[in-house]
Amino acid sequence: MSNPEACAPPPRTESGGSALTVRVYYEDTDAAGVVYYANYLRYCERARTEWLRTLGYSQQALLENHAIAFVVRSIEAQFLAPARLDDTLEIMTTVLRLGGASLSFSQRIVRNHSPIFTAQVGIACVDQRSGRPIPIPSGLKTRIRTTLQEATP
Amino acid sequence: MSNPEACAPPPRTESGGSALTVRVYYEDTDAAGVVYYANYLRYCERARTEWLRTLGYSQQALLENHAIAFVVRSIEAQFLAPARLDDTLEIMTTVLRLGGASLSFSQRIVRNHSPIFTAQVGIACVDQRSGRPIPIPSGLKTRIRTTLQEATP
Amino acid sequence: MSNPEACAPPPRTESGGSALTVRVYYEDTDAAGVVYYANYLRYCERARTEWLRTLGYSQQALLENHAIAFVVRSIEAQFLAPARLDDTLEIMTTVLRLGGASLSFSQRIVRNHSPIFTAQVGIACVDQRSGRPIPIPSGLKTRIRTTLQEATP
Amino acid sequence: MSNPEACAPPPRTESGGSALTVRVYYEDTDAAGVVYYANYLRYCERARTEWLRTLGYSQQALLENHAIAFVVRSIEAQFLAPARLDDTLEIMTTVLRLGGASLSFSQRIVRNHSPIFTAQVGIACVDQRSGRPIPIPSGLKTRIRTTLQEATP
């Protein structure tokens, strides 16, 4: 009756990263006829959430059970070409760096095999109640390290 | 490498309608810890777009090639229970009525087999340049009638 | 240096209601060249928040200090004409009904003196932690009753 | 009855820049209790639109009458501290660089006199129909140069 595969975490890529497919709907576009620029950051956040899910962790469980949230500290992004209504986009997500209470990602949005958006995103792991940095849960850190090792030739 | 099935139109249901699965992300929630109320209307619009796609039509092609847009004229909605971060929701969409230049839908959002949102949505087919009503393309109208007939016992 | 008046609660109208002025930005529009339909509900929510502020209450204080949230239970809306990029819209908000733990509003969006959107919105007062209905704070209920009495000729 | 000053362009600052005040509403927040990260980019775009208005130009007129759009090419942003429901934020916007068909801004979001977000934003002036770069309208370029000169001690 429906398509639950749509909500399964996307498969892992050879680089140890993750790829998510999204469809552009009217809600994402603006009067200039293209995806409104801030919405690429929403796609990227969905992709990071799904990357987390491939490692066995959910944002909701981390938030509700451990008051852990991953917050964006910095972003450097390039908008190379626009996406439009009805496009299918792939969001590629790879970990660049893993620290004690932070990590950074390289994310790339691809449309018809051409990159249209790239970003480096710096993330901090914080206690959602205080906003203070806290160590990334050790189980999660181990999983991330494993994917990084699997990726290195 | 990615999950293109996520963007295939969802299968048709026995009622001639359509069901779309969506995941709730951080972008959909608000500080009260639930999906922000207007965002259910975004889910519904995605579901109507996918319903259209199951009939072989895309919003982007209709807009770009024929300047045809489907605009919402009315909505009656009930918010029965909240959805939360990380939920998987099913959006069921059925046609209630088909007119010459308008149609109405019944849409229902289900979470863990329980309805959390229902709406009746009145839609007009318009020329996007003038905003004036125009007849629903005959090919599309035929397809809709066919699904309605298939649904009737 | 800036315009703090922009954030003062809007003046009360003779009907005991409230009016808020909003500007349409790119973020509100879509590829059909008009305000995306769900965004009218965002404007309405801003107007209800400002109406609350005219009565001396803030959503954030209610949420943080008392775990009180006002949640939308129902909406009946008519989309009469589109708003476009750069429009200035007025959102008029009036209380229709006041109950023990609920109330309903009539809201109207006006563009160049013409109504473009109308809605009746049913709201429940809930404990944000449990989602269960709780009585509207008595001080606030008194203020609302006063504005309703002031409005009646 | 309403507060039209809310929609007047904000006054110019001594640096030749511009400051816009915005209020944080439920729509801007997420389940972590803070403004969702991508929404700072929406505030920044509103501020750039208002900066343009102080110079006598409107995005809608440029788009509709001249098919001119300003598109974001790059952004480097730092998220220093979170904003929350009901906050009043000031968005400061200054031109860093003015080219033939592009310009860049420095934007800063301030909450209670503390910067919570900073960004450098690279913008291109394009023909909205083709997406190709076109020269910034000369009248507008002159106005921008004038504000830059007024700002220099």
Side-chain angles (χ1 to χ4, degrees):
Chain A
M1 172 162 291
S2 65
N3 54 338
E5 315 76 39
C7 290
R12 235 136 8 91
T13 64
E14 310 86 13
S15 62
S18 159
L20 174 71
T21 304
V22 302
R23 174 78 78 174
V24 175
Y25 292 102
Y26 259 116
E27 67 190 78
D28 302 308
T29 64
D30 68 23
V34 295
V35 168
Y36 177 74
Y37 87 123
N39 292 337
Y40 295 104
L41 271 63
R42 281 168 39 191
Y43 297 153
C44 286
E45 195 282 323
R46 294 181 203 175
R48 294 192 302 270
T49 288
E50 293 303 330
W51 163 86
L52 197 63
R53 212 188 309 280
T54 69
L55 300 182
Y57 288 80
S58 95
Q59 298 261 33
Q60 177 269 347
L62 286 168
L63 186 66
E64 236 183 75
N65 304 337
H66 307 286
I68 287 174
F70 287 100
V71 298
V72 175
R73 286 289 190 233
S74 65
I75 185 164
E76 270 192 56
Q78 308 290 330
F79 301 77
L80 306 173
R84 297 174 193 279
L85 179 64
D86 226 50
D87 279 352
T88 301
L89 307 175
E90 275 190 46
I91 328 297
M92 328 290 291
T93 302
T94 323
V95 174
L96 283 179
R97 190 191 61 79
L98 175 63
S102 67
L103 71 165
S104 67
F105 293 91
S106 169
Q107 296 193 271
R108 192 168 83 250
I109 300 179
V110 174
R111 174 195 187 229
N112 292 337
H113 308 293
S114 294
I116 64 166
F117 174 92
T118 63
Q120 291 192 27
V121 188
I123 303 276
C125 181
V126 302
D127 180 316
Q128 181 262 333
R129 298 156 300 192
S130 65
R132 290 188 175 289
I134 54 176
I136 294 171
S138 56
L140 173 55
K141 201 180 298 183
T142 302
R143 296 258 174 94
I144 300 173
R145 279 204 206 98
T146 305
T147 69
L148 289 175
Q149 286 160 6
E150 286 172 355
T152 330
Chain B
M1 170 162 291
S2 63
N3 53 337
E5 313 78 37
C7 289
R12 241 165 330 102
T13 64
E14 310 86 13
S15 63
S18 158
L20 174 71
T21 304
V22 302
R23 175 78 78 174
V24 175
Y25 292 101
Y26 258 116
E27 67 190 80
D28 302 308
T29 64
D30 67 24
V34 295
V35 168
Y36 177 73
Y37 87 124
N39 292 337
Y40 295 103
L41 271 63
R42 281 169 39 192
Y43 296 153
C44 286
E45 196 281 323
R46 295 182 203 176
R48 295 192 300 269
T49 290
E50 293 304 330
W51 163 85
L52 198 64
R53 212 189 308 281
T54 69
L55 299 181
Y57 288 80
S58 95
Q59 299 261 33
Q60 177 267 348
L62 287 167
L63 187 66
E64 235 182 76
N65 303 338
H66 306 285
I68 288 174
F70 288 99
V71 298
V72 175
R73 288 289 190 231
S74 64
I75 185 164
E76 270 192 56
Q78 308 291 330
F79 301 78
L80 306 172
R84 296 173 194 281
L85 179 65
D86 225 51
D87 279 352
T88 300
L89 307 175
E90 274 192 45
I91 328 295
M92 327 291 289
T93 301
T94 324
V95 173
L96 282 179
R97 188 191 62 79
L98 174 63
S102 66
L103 72 165
S104 66
F105 293 91
S106 169
Q107 295 193 273
R108 192 168 82 252
I109 300 180
V110 174
R111 174 196 189 229
N112 292 337
H113 308 293
S114 295
I116 64 166
F117 174 90
T118 63
Q120 291 193 28
V121 188
I123 303 274
C125 181
V126 301
D127 180 317
Q128 182 263 334
R129 298 158 299 193
S130 65
R132 292 188 173 287
I134 56 176
I136 295 171
S138 56
L140 172 57
K141 202 179 298 182
T142 302
R143 296 257 173 98
I144 300 173
R145 278 203 206 99
T146 307
T147 69
L148 288 175
Q149 286 159 9
E150 287 174 354
T152 330
Chain C
M1 171 162 291
S2 63
N3 54 338
E5 315 78 36
C7 290
R12 240 158 338 102
T13 64
E14 311 85 14
S15 62
S18 158
L20 173 71
T21 303
V22 302
R23 174 79 77 175
V24 176
Y25 291 102
Y26 259 117
E27 67 189 81
D28 302 309
T29 64
D30 67 24
V34 295
V35 168
Y36 177 73
Y37 88 123
N39 292 338
Y40 294 103
L41 271 64
R42 281 170 37 192
Y43 296 152
C44 286
E45 195 281 322
R46 295 182 204 176
R48 294 192 302 269
T49 289
E50 293 304 330
W51 164 85
L52 198 63
R53 212 188 308 281
T54 68
L55 300 180
Y57 288 80
S58 97
Q59 299 262 33
Q60 177 269 347
L62 287 167
L63 186 67
E64 234 183 77
N65 303 339
H66 306 285
I68 286 174
F70 287 100
V71 298
V72 174
R73 287 290 189 230
S74 65
I75 185 164
E76 269 193 56
Q78 309 290 331
F79 301 78
L80 306 172
R84 295 174 195 280
L85 179 64
D86 225 51
D87 278 352
T88 300
L89 307 175
E90 275 191 44
I91 329 295
M92 328 290 290
T93 302
T94 323
V95 173
L96 283 179
R97 188 192 64 77
L98 173 63
S102 66
L103 72 165
S104 65
F105 293 91
S106 168
Q107 296 194 271
R108 192 169 81 252
I109 299 180
V110 174
R111 174 196 189 228
N112 292 336
H113 309 293
S114 296
I116 64 166
F117 173 90
T118 62
Q120 291 192 27
V121 188
I123 304 273
C125 181
V126 302
D127 179 316
Q128 181 261 335
R129 297 158 299 193
S130 65
R132 293 189 173 285
I134 55 176
I136 295 171
S138 56
L140 172 56
K141 202 179 299 183
T142 302
R143 296 257 174 97
I144 299 173
R145 278 203 206 100
T146 306
T147 70
L148 289 175
Q149 285 159 6
E150 288 173 352
T152 330
Chain D
M1 172 162 292
S2 64
N3 55 336
E5 315 77 37
C7 289
R12 244 180 311 112
T13 64
E14 310 86 13
S15 62
S18 159
L20 173 71
T21 303
V22 303
R23 174 78 78 174
V24 175
Y25 292 101
Y26 258 116
E27 67 190 79
D28 302 309
T29 63
D30 68 23
V34 295
V35 167
Y36 177 75
Y37 86 125
N39 292 338
Y40 294 104
L41 271 62
R42 281 169 37 191
Y43 296 153
C44 286
E45 195 281 322
R46 295 181 203 176
R48 295 192 300 270
T49 290
E50 294 304 329
W51 164 85
L52 197 64
R53 211 188 309 280
T54 69
L55 299 181
Y57 288 80
S58 95
Q59 298 261 34
Q60 177 269 346
L62 287 168
L63 187 66
E64 235 183 74
N65 303 338
H66 307 285
I68 288 174
F70 288 100
V71 298
V72 175
R73 288 288 190 232
S74 64
I75 185 164
E76 269 192 56
Q78 309 289 330
F79 301 77
L80 307 173
R84 296 173 194 279
L85 179 65
D86 226 50
D87 278 353
T88 302
L89 307 176
E90 274 191 45
I91 328 296
M92 328 290 291
T93 302
T94 325
V95 173
L96 282 179
R97 190 191 61 78
L98 175 63
S102 66
L103 72 165
S104 67
F105 293 90
S106 170
Q107 295 193 271
R108 193 168 81 250
I109 300 179
V110 174
R111 174 196 188 227
N112 293 336
H113 310 292
S114 294
I116 63 165
F117 174 92
T118 63
Q120 291 192 28
V121 189
I123 304 274
C125 181
V126 301
D127 179 317
Q128 181 262 333
R129 297 157 300 192
S130 65
R132 291 188 172 289
I134 55 176
I136 295 170
S138 56
L140 173 55
K141 202 180 299 184
T142 303
R143 296 257 175 97
I144 299 173
R145 278 203 208 99
T146 306
T147 69
L148 289 175
Q149 287 159 4
E150 288 172 352
T152 330

